[in-house]
């Protein structure tokens, strides 16, 4: 039996290996935050739990590795930006498996946003499989800005192991103004 304690991070690579030209730059920043000394909230990155996948790897090899990582995950953090594509790359595959097979709660982090009072207003940024599952009410999500305290809070709060008020029960959950004030965002 696999112990599910990792956070699976997903983003659109925009079909490039240059991290400065894709959402991979946000993943790099997330890793930096996770390694910062004095940060009380850390997470276990599911991508570091299996063999690396090379850009030359076949699609089947890539999908196999991604599934191994999803199996070890307690939640999924999806990084969304204005460049996130509707239907490109592996992001839709990852979202589909995370929700349909592994029932992972989703933390949707929007780059360039200070707060998320109404996630439906950002629906034009959602990848196809996320939009479909939000529409069908099968995704369990919290929508947050791509900001350190919000991300670390959501990662520590929402997982497959959560109970009580820490269980996501719908696709359009947001944090309260009080939470934003507590992080110093308002």
């Amino acid at each position: 039996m696999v112990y599910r304690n990792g956070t699976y991070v997903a983003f659109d690579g925009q079909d490039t290996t240059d991290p400065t030209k894709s959402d991979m730059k946000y993943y790099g920043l997330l890793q930096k935050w996770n390694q910062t000394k004095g940060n009380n909230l850390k997470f276990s990155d599911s991508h570091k739990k299996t063999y690396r996948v090379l850009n030359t790897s076949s699609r089947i090899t890539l999908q196999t590795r991604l599934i191994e990582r999803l199996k070890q995950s307690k939640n999924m953090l999806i990084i969304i930006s204005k460049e996130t594509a509707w239907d490109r790359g592996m992001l839709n595959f990852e979202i589909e498996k995370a929700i349909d097979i592994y029932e992972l709660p989703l933390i949707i982090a929007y780059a360039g946003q200070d707060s998320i009072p109404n996630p439906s207003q950002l629906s034009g940024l959602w990848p196809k499989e996320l939009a479909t599952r939000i529409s069908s009410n099968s995704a369990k999500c919290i929508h947050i800005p791509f900001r350190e305290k919000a991300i670390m809070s959501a990662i520590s709060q929402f997982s497959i192991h959560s109970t009580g008020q820490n269980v996501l029960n719908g696709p359009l959950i947001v944090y309260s103004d009080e939470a934003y004030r507590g992080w110093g965002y308002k």
Side-chain angles (χ1 to χ4, degrees):
M1 184 168 177
V2 177
Y3 185 63
R4 297 174 69 182
N5 66 341
T7 293
Y8 188 102
V9 182
F11 54 88
D12 184 2
Q14 279 101 21
D15 283 338
T16 181
T17 56
D18 182 349
T20 64
K21 296 180 180 175
S22 77
D23 288 349
M24 181 156 227
K25 63 184 167 265
Y26 300 114
Y27 178 61
L29 180 56
L30 183 68
Q31 289 178 314
K32 184 178 178 182
W33 289 339
N34 193 37
Q35 296 167 357
T36 301
K37 291 189 186 312
N39 188 342
N40 294 332
L41 297 169
K42 296 199 178 288
F43 69 96
S44 175
D45 187 347
S46 291
H47 293 286
K48 297 191 186 281
K49 294 182 176 204
T50 62
Y51 296 106
R52 285 187 48 194
V53 181
L54 304 175
N55 293 332
T56 57
S57 297
S58 72
R59 187 172 182 88
I60 295 298
T61 299
L62 178 57
Q63 288 177 339
T64 301
R65 292 287 186 267
L66 297 177
I67 287 171
E68 287 175 30
R69 294 169 184 173
L70 285 165
K71 284 180 184 176
Q72 297 177 24
S73 299
K74 65 177 182 174
N75 53 23
M76 175 186 248
L77 171 67
I78 302 174
I79 302 168
I80 303 281
S81 75
K82 290 182 179 171
E83 289 79 37
T84 301
W86 167 255
D87 194 13
R88 174 182 56 220
M90 297 302 295
L91 184 57
N92 281 297
F93 171 83
E94 293 167 300
I95 292 168
E96 174 190 348
K97 299 301 180 200
I99 297 169
D100 297 354
I101 306 296
Y102 301 104
E103 299 177 351
L104 296 178
L106 306 182
I107 300 160
I108 315 297
Y110 298 87
Q113 301 292 319
D114 292 324
S115 66
I116 311 295
N118 183 356
S120 295
Q121 292 178 338
L122 298 169
S123 64
L125 301 175
W126 298 340
K128 177 182 172 186
E129 297 303 327
L130 180 61
T132 299
R133 281 154 181 80
I134 286 174
S135 175
S136 71
N137 210 29
S138 61
K140 306 305 179 204
C141 311
I142 184 146
H143 300 261
I144 62 173
F146 185 84
R147 298 188 67 180
E148 184 178 9
K149 290 177 184 174
I151 290 171
M152 294 303 177
S153 181
I155 285 173
S156 67
Q157 185 175 2
F158 302 108
S159 80
I160 58 166
H161 309 296
S162 295
T163 59
Q165 291 185 333
N166 291 335
V167 174
L168 293 174
N169 57 11
L172 298 171
I173 307 298
V174 296
Y175 276 113
S176 67
D177 284 342
E178 181 181 334
Y180 282 98
R181 281 191 292 279
W183 298 321
Y185 295 168
K186 284 190 174 192

